[in-house]
Amino acid sequence: MAFPILAVGWAAHDDLLFVRLAAEIGMGHWLGNYNELTHAKGVGYPLFLLLNHATALPLKFSEHALYLASAAFFAHTAGQMLRSRPLALVLFAVVAFQPAAWLEQSGGRVMREGIYVSQTLLLLTLGLRCWVLAATQALPATQLRAQWRPLLAMGLVGGWFWLTREEGVWLLPALTLLLAYWLWAQRHALRRQWRAALAFAALPIAVATVMVGAVNTTNYAVYGVFRNNDFRSSDFLGGYGALTRIRHDHWQRYVPFPKDARERAYAMSAAARELKPYFEGDGGEFWRQGGCAQTQTSPCPEILSGWFMWALRRAVATTGHYQSAQEAQSFYRRLAAEIDAGCRQHPDDCLPPRATMVPPWHEGYALDAIKASGQVFWTLATLDHATLKPYHSVGQPLHLRLFEVVTNGPIAPMADTPPLEVDLTSPRDTFRLQLAQWIATAMSKASAVALPMAFALWSLWTVVLIVRRRMPDVTWMLAASLAAALATRIALLGFLEATSIPSNYILYLYPAVPLSLAFPVVVLWSVAQRLKSRKNSGHNAATA
């Protein structure tokens, strides 16, 4: 509670958008009048903001309370798996005091990562409880009767998780690994009770699908399109992919639609020509300058990819095609069809058809992604050096007031707020901030050593299991699920860093921070227990 909200009032595509969507839902307007931002972000976080507003609790108090509950649930489950209450206590202490929650860019802002970190921890923990902890205790039918509540909870959290951010597939490898372990443990009973096994595995997916379908149906009823996010829709991906399939005269990193490609698009498509005044005018220049300034890129003659998707949507809006969701949908389909038709007439000017925001492959991407993943790993290992800084809210007074109302405050003051004549800072808060910085520094230094060491030990542990042809136990599965989630998140951000947008950023790593702190504890504890067991066995043998 010593850390106020960093209100970024100018962030119309992020912080301010979430606050505005929550306000619209609260006023009974669902997501408000339709425009290019209505379905740009998932509804999971605005719904949480609205629910929290009804409680009158400060937003950061609620976010941290949810996180601490998730940390306790994870620590309790891990303690049960490893049969150790002291381990559960150590894990909870390490995960609860993770310092990323105190950094202004990750924990301070009104961003969906504030709940995404808890959703990640909850979803992985539920997977461990349902598919590993009780995997060999009973037949599938018996387990289904005993575990239907955790399975239902997994589906609810999974649906909420999917509706919060767009890259929810990053947890899929870890969850698939857990499900595979359950199927292996039940392999002898699958033939006799395959229906119960299918229901056990499918129940969370069915519940999550119903949740997502409910949001899609609401959007269809209000706006006429069955979706929860435009960046998952075939029409927007088709239009975006069509523009980025046009060949460039000179390849430039992070540039999906340069001047020469735009000229070819204008020649091919009447829909593309409608966008020309915006891209070649002040609108395009605005997005070029914004991306170049935020990434400190120079020279920077084009709109960068992290900003191009917003520039495209704004360009379509200025032509009047965001008056309704169906009109926008129709425009993107027409744009894709016209570009694809032009490419069939001029095949040398185009790459193969595509409907994705992933950039066309470049020969240097593989090595660049590996290097970038190493840099992302180091940022995670050091927790970005976990330096706590004073911060100030920015934006127009009206926007900041909206932040304060929706989040129940308090928000950090603006930089130009006149200081009080008397310093009213409580000594308690000063001490708390000093203690937080000490904890953050200590954790950063410890993690920088412990995380690489844990990955090395876990890899050696895995090799030994393979060489000895031993099936993994629940201890290895706990460590492996954490390792899989961490590796997937790091690889994803490394790929994005190399190909699309600067992603070596603590905000994007925030959901993985608790896992990165828990992983060394689990691995080192398991190794120590095995060494202790061997030592005791050797001592007993010698005594005998």
Side-chain angles (χ1 to χ4, degrees), residues 130-313:
C130 294
W131 291 334
V132 177
L133 185 59
T136 59
Q137 292 181 1
L139 294 174
T142 305
Q143 286 195 46
L144 183 60
R145 288 191 293 271
Q147 297 287 329
W148 70 268
R149 291 180 183 86
L151 290 168
L152 177 64
M154 191 194 305
L156 293 173
V157 174
W160 187 27
F161 179 83
W162 188 260
L163 292 169
T164 299
R165 283 193 61 89
E166 293 76 51
E167 79 284 6
V169 293
W170 74 276
L171 267 189
L172 189 59
L175 294 175
T176 301
L177 180 66
L178 301 180
L179 178 58
Y181 180 82
W182 183 84
L183 291 172
W184 174 83
Q186 297 293 326
R187 62 192 183 280
H188 299 303
L190 290 179
R191 184 171 297 179
R192 289 174 295 154
Q193 297 193 357
W194 66 269
R195 291 184 180 86
L198 180 61
F200 191 91
L203 179 58
I205 299 174
V207 173
T209 301
V210 169
M211 281 189 67
V212 175
V215 172
N216 291 357
T217 302
T218 303
N219 283 326
Y220 182 79
V222 177
Y223 303 111
V225 288
F226 188 80
R227 67 183 54 166
N228 57 80
N229 192 294
D230 277 347
F231 294 113
R232 293 183 178 132
S233 64
S234 60
D235 47 277
F236 177 77
L237 292 177
Y240 187 101
L243 294 178
T244 57
R245 70 175 292 201
I246 300 173
R247 292 187 185 275
H248 307 172
D249 290 341
H250 304 286
W251 178 81
Q252 303 171 70
R253 188 183 301 276
Y254 297 160
V255 177
F257 196 45
K259 177 70 173 179
D260 55 281
R262 294 199 299 273
E263 293 299 333
R264 293 188 179 103
Y266 302 149
M268 292 178 183
S269 165
R273 285 195 294 275
E274 292 185 48
L275 308 178
K276 182 175 181 179
Y278 186 87
F279 279 128
E280 309 308 326
D282 293 340
E285 181 62 15
F286 169 81
W287 291 105
R288 185 195 69 80
Q289 290 183 7
C292 297
Q294 290 189 42
T295 59
Q296 298 181 345
T297 302
S298 181
C300 185
E302 301 286 357
I303 302 173
L304 302 182
S305 55
W307 290 260
F308 173 67
M309 58 185 179
W310 303 115
L312 172 59
R313 296 173 72 82

Side-chain angles (χ1 to χ4, degrees), residues 240-241 244-248 250-256 350-354 356-373 491-492 494-500:
Y240 187 101
T244 57
R245 70 175 292 201
I246 300 173
R247 292 187 185 275
H248 307 172
H250 304 286
W251 178 81
Q252 303 171 70
R253 188 183 301 276
Y254 297 160
V255 177
C350 300
L351 298 169
R354 54 201 324 273
T356 176
M357 292 179 65
V358 177
W361 185 255
H362 185 264
E363 59 183 7
Y365 279 164
L367 182 59
D368 291 344
I370 293 173
K371 292 179 180 178
S373 296
L492 172 64
F495 178 78
L496 291 174
E497 173 80 17
T499 64
S500 303

Side-chain angles (χ1 to χ4, degrees), residues 410-483:
I411 66 172
M414 298 182 69
D416 56 359
T417 301
L420 297 174
E421 295 182 2
V422 179
D423 186 4
L424 297 179
T425 303
S426 168
R428 174 201 61 193
D429 289 342
T430 301
F431 172 75
R432 186 159 47 185
L433 288 169
Q434 292 173 347
L435 179 61
Q437 183 60 76
W438 182 86
I439 293 173
T441 302
M443 280 200 166
S444 173
K445 292 180 178 179
S447 178
V449 176
L451 188 60
M453 181 187 300
F455 265 104
L457 290 174
W458 177 78
S459 300
L460 180 61
W461 183 5
T462 304
V463 170
V464 170
L465 289 177
I466 294 174
V467 170
R468 294 184 178 181
R469 297 182 179 179
R470 292 183 179 178
M471 293 304 298
D473 57 11
V474 295
T475 305
W476 184 89
M477 287 302 302
L478 172 59
S481 64
L482 296 173

Side-chain angles (χ1 to χ4, degrees), residues 50 73 97 113 142 192 196 228 254 333 343 387 412 505 514 542:
L50 181 62
F73 183 44
F97 285 96
E113 281 75 10
T142 305
R192 289 174 295 154
N228 57 80
Y254 297 160
R333 288 176 175 173
C343 286
T387 302
Y505 189 32

Side-chain angles (χ1 to χ4, degrees), residues 9-21:
W10 52 261
H13 298 79
D14 291 303
D15 313 49
L16 181 59
L17 176 61
F18 297 126
V19 171
R20 186 180 64 78
L21 291 177

